[in-house]
Amino acid sequence: MTGLYARHYMFENIRNMLDSNPDTEYFTVFLDVKNFKIVNDIFGSDFGDFALCQIANWIKDNVSEKCVYGRIAGDTFGVMVPSDEFDADKLEEDLANFVVTDGIVSHQLHIYLGVYAVRDREADVSVMFDRAHFAISSATDEYNTHIAFYDDKLREKVMWDQKISSNLHEAIETMQIRPYLQPITDNNGKVVGAEALARWIHPEYGFMPPYKFIPLFENNGMIVDVDRHMWRCACELLSEWKGKHDDLFISVNISPMDFYYINVVSEISKLVKEYDIEPRKLRLEITETVMMNDAGDRMKTLDEFRKLGFIVEMDDFGSGYSSLNLLKDMPVDVLKIDMKFLSDSEENEKPMTILKNIVKLSEELKIVSLTEGVETEQQYMQLSEMGCKLFQGYYFSKPLPENEFEEYLKKSA
Ligand code: C2E
Ligand code: CA
Ligand code: CA
C-alpha cells in the first residue's frame, strides 16, 4: 500500500547494507504515530491509509540512496540512515507541524522518532529497532521534542522502571512498602497527628525514599496500588491507637491519578468502616493539580468527603498553579503551605511576608493553615505569631518508623 518494503525484507536489506559498508556509521530510526487508532476511528480507514502513504512519502523525501527504509507494522516505520545524513533540526521542524490533508479533512499527526546509534553491528536488526523504539517512551511526555535518542542512561532507567514495577505487588504484600510517620504539632508544641509517607525497604536496593518510585508509579498508574496500601496501613495504625492515642489523626496522600482510576470516596469510606474509624481521624491530602482537570467534578468529590466527616487538606500550596482565586471556592479544611517553595528567595523577609498573607487569607476563609518544611525554631516562632495553627518539619522530627514515632510521642509528652 505504501510502496515501501515490509519489515522482513527491510531488515534483510539493512543486514546486507551493514555488512557491505563496515566503515559507515548508522542510525536506526523508529517512527511511530501517536494515537493513530484515533485517526482511523474518527476519519475512517481510507483516510488512515492515506495518512500512512503521506508518511511514507515524507520518509522517501528525506532519505538518500544510502538509506534503507520500510514499514515495520501498522503505523510504525523504520529507517537505517548513515549518521552524517541524519538532520535532526530539519526533521524536528517538519514534525512540529505534520498535517495530512486530502482536500476535505485536515489532521495534524503526532509523529515521534526514536533513534539508536548502531554500536553493536552484529546485533539483530530487530534488536536495533527495539532500542530505537525504546527511546520514544522518553520523548512522548514532552511536547516540543519529537526525536529521542537511545542511550545507556535511558536503557538503565527503562530497566529500573521495569524491575521496580514488577516488584511492586510483592513489596506491598510483604510490607516492604510501609508508612513512616512525620509528627504534626500545634502552636503549643503538642503532637496532634502525623503524615504517613511511603518508604520502600527493598531487599536488594535497601531504603528507598519516595522520589525513587512515586513519580514512576504516578506515570504508569500503579500509584493507585501504593496509595490504597498506604490508606489501609494508616487505618490499621489508627485502629491500634484506639484507647491509646485517641486524639491523634493520620494524614494520607491521594495522588491526582487516584481520582482518575478509582472511586476514592467509596474506597476510603469502606476502609474507615472496616476498621471502625472516625473519618475525621484519617485526613486526606490532595494537591491543587487535581483541580486542573474537571474542577467541578473534583470539588463535588471533595464535598462528598467532607459531608462524610473527613478533613480535606490542600497539600503543597504555593508550589504550582496555586491561585488564590481558586482558594475561595475550594472545599478544603486545611491549607498545607510548604516552606521550601518560598525559601528559594535570597532574603528571609519576602517568604515570611507571603506566608503572613496566606495565613491571614486562610483565616478569613475559615481554613486552618498548616506550614510544613519548618526547620528552625525561629521559623516556628514567627509562624505561630502570624496565626499559623499547625506545623510539620525537620525542626520537630523527620518521618519516623512506627516504633520511633511512639518513642517521640512519649518524649514530647
Ligand atoms: P509531601 O506530601 O509534600 O511530603 C512532605 C515531604 O517533605 C516529605 O518528603 C518529607 O519528608 C519532607 N519534609 C518534611 N519536613 C521537611 C523539612 O523540614 N525540610 C525539608 N526539606 N523537607 C521536609 P518525602 O517523604 O520524601 O515525600 C516526598 C513526596 O512523595 C511527598 O511530598 C508526596 O508528594 C510523595 N509521597 C510520599 N508518600 C506518598 C504516598 O503514600 N502516596 C503518594 N501519592 N505520594 C506520596
Ligand atoms: Ca503530603
Ligand atoms: Ca506537602
Side-chain angles (χ1 to χ4, degrees):
M1 183 190 82
T2 57
L4 302 192
Y5 292 162
R7 173 191 161 96
H8 185 71
Y9 192 61
M10 169 175 64
F11 285 3
E12 246 177 52
N13 275 274
I14 288 175
R15 181 78 270 159
N16 291 337
M17 182 173 71
L18 287 169
D19 294 345
S20 45
N21 297 284
D23 299 325
T24 310
E25 293 197 8
Y26 286 99
F27 281 176
T28 310
V29 183
F30 187 101
L31 181 154
D32 190 16
V33 188
K34 197 177 177 189
N35 297 331
F36 189 72
K37 276 203 200 85
I38 293 178
V39 177
N40 272 327
D41 221 43
I42 298 179
F43 305 112
S45 54
D46 282 350
F47 185 82
D49 288 350
F50 176 72
L52 292 175
C53 290
Q54 296 297 98
I55 296 171
N57 290 337
W58 176 73
I59 293 174
K60 281 183 217 158
D61 289 344
N62 280 287
V63 292
S64 75
E65 69 288 349
K66 289 186 194 153
C67 303
V68 175
Y69 53 97
R71 186 170 170 197
I72 294 177
D75 59 346
T76 58
F77 296 82
V79 185
M80 190 66 91
V81 47
S83 51
D84 55 3
E85 287 185 15
F86 186 82
D87 184 350
D89 292 340
K90 151 86 170 65
L91 298 172
E92 196 62 81
E93 208 173 289
D94 285 2
L95 295 179
N97 191 26
F98 198 104
V99 178
V100 175
T101 175
D102 65 355
I104 306 161
V105 174
S106 286
H107 183 70
Q108 180 172 2
L109 294 182
H110 298 282
I111 295 175
Y112 292 93
L113 305 182
V115 184
Y116 165 63
V118 179
R119 259 186 297 169
D120 174 13
R121 298 175 77 98
E122 301 312 314
D124 252 17
V125 175
S126 67
V127 170
M128 297 176 189
F129 278 99
D130 283 346
R131 289 185 182 159
H133 190 184
F134 244 180
I136 293 183
S137 61
S138 76
T140 43
D141 291 342
E142 289 160 30
Y143 283 94
N144 296 318
T145 56
H146 299 83
I147 304 176
F149 287 85
Y150 176 95
D151 56 22
D152 288 343
K153 237 172 71 198
L154 176 61
R155 181 162 179 269
E156 271 163 34
K157 184 183 176 311
V158 173
M159 305 242 289
W160 168 263
D161 287 0
Q162 277 174 344
K163 170 114 210 240
I164 287 295
S165 299
S166 69
N167 287 166
L168 178 63
H169 288 124
E170 195 191 330
I172 286 176
E173 273 161 29
T174 59
M175 287 294 284
Q176 287 168 31
I177 296 179
R178 62 184 83 143
Y180 269 41
L181 299 170
Q182 186 172 36
I184 295 169
T185 305
D186 69 8
N187 46 7
N188 296 315
K190 183 168 167 274
V191 179
V192 290
E195 175 174 4
L197 292 152
R199 299 289 181 268
W200 187 340
I201 323 293
H202 195 286
E204 201 175 325
Y205 308 120
F207 183 90
M208 298 209 297
Y211 74 87
K212 292 220 169 150
F213 57 96
I214 299 273
L216 159 66
F217 294 145
E218 280 189 325
N219 256 324
N220 67 14
M222 292 170 96
I223 189 69
V224 173
D225 299 313
V226 177
D227 282 348
R228 269 195 187 121
H229 170 66
M230 290 289 290
W231 303 336
R232 180 171 289 276
C233 289
C235 287
E236 239 159 50
L237 282 169
L238 286 169
S239 163
E240 282 169 27
W241 289 356
K242 273 184 215 161
K244 195 160 80 171
H245 307 306
D246 277 316
D247 43 351
L248 296 186
F249 64 80
I250 295 181
S251 298
V252 292
N253 291 284
I254 307 183
S255 153
M257 278 291 139
D258 299 333
F259 288 86
Y260 186 77
Y261 286 111
I262 58 174
N263 185 332
V264 280
V265 178
S266 105
E267 291 218 11
I268 292 178
S269 344
K270 260 191 222 143
L271 267 180
V272 292
K273 280 205 193 89
E274 185 184 330
Y275 287 89
D276 191 25
I277 285 156
E278 287 170 77
R280 68 180 175 85
K281 292 211 178 137
L282 186 71
R283 296 195 173 195
L284 309 173
E285 299 194 4
I286 52 134
T287 58
E288 58 200 342
T289 45
V290 306
M291 288 299 158
M292 306 248 302
N293 306 309
D294 300 322
D297 258 17
R298 297 292 187 261
M299 288 201 196
K300 253 189 257 158
T301 307
L302 301 188
D303 263 333
E304 278 178 66
F305 271 130
R306 296 178 73 204
K307 284 203 186 99
L308 290 166
F310 291 96
I311 291 176
V312 177
E313 309 195 331
M314 167 71 50
D315 200 0
D316 296 345
F317 189 80
S319 67
Y321 299 84
S322 33
S323 104
L324 295 172
N325 209 17
L326 195 65
L327 193 56
K328 72 176 179 354
D329 303 320
M330 287 292 300
V332 299
D333 307 281
V334 178
L335 201 60
K336 277 192 99 157
I337 314 152
D338 198 329
M339 296 272 310
K340 73 172 170 280
F341 300 121
L342 300 167
S343 58
D344 287 347
S345 171
E346 294 279 296
E347 345 137 45
N348 202 22
E349 251 166 60
K350 244 192 207 157
M352 282 303 175
T353 313
I354 294 171
L355 270 171
K356 192 154 83 192
N357 284 286
I358 299 179
V359 170
K360 216 174 97 195
L361 180 70
S362 52
E363 224 164 64
E364 273 169 32
L365 294 169
K366 307 218 162 31
I367 298 173
V368 173
S369 43
L370 184 163
T371 315
E372 61 178 326
V374 178
E375 292 182 347
T376 64
E377 177 168 19
Q378 195 202 4
Q379 287 173 340
Y380 175 43
M381 291 313 187
Q382 279 178 306
L383 288 160
S384 293
E385 251 166 59
M386 287 175 194
C388 187
K389 295 288 184 295
L390 298 173
F391 309 87
Q392 179 183 346
Y394 295 164
Y395 170 62
F396 304 97
S397 167
K398 294 198 168 194
L400 302 167
E402 188 194 345
N403 58 337
E404 287 177 36
F405 179 76
E406 291 275 352
E407 276 167 35
Y408 180 86
L409 277 179
K410 273 187 216 137
K411 255 197 298 178
S412 67

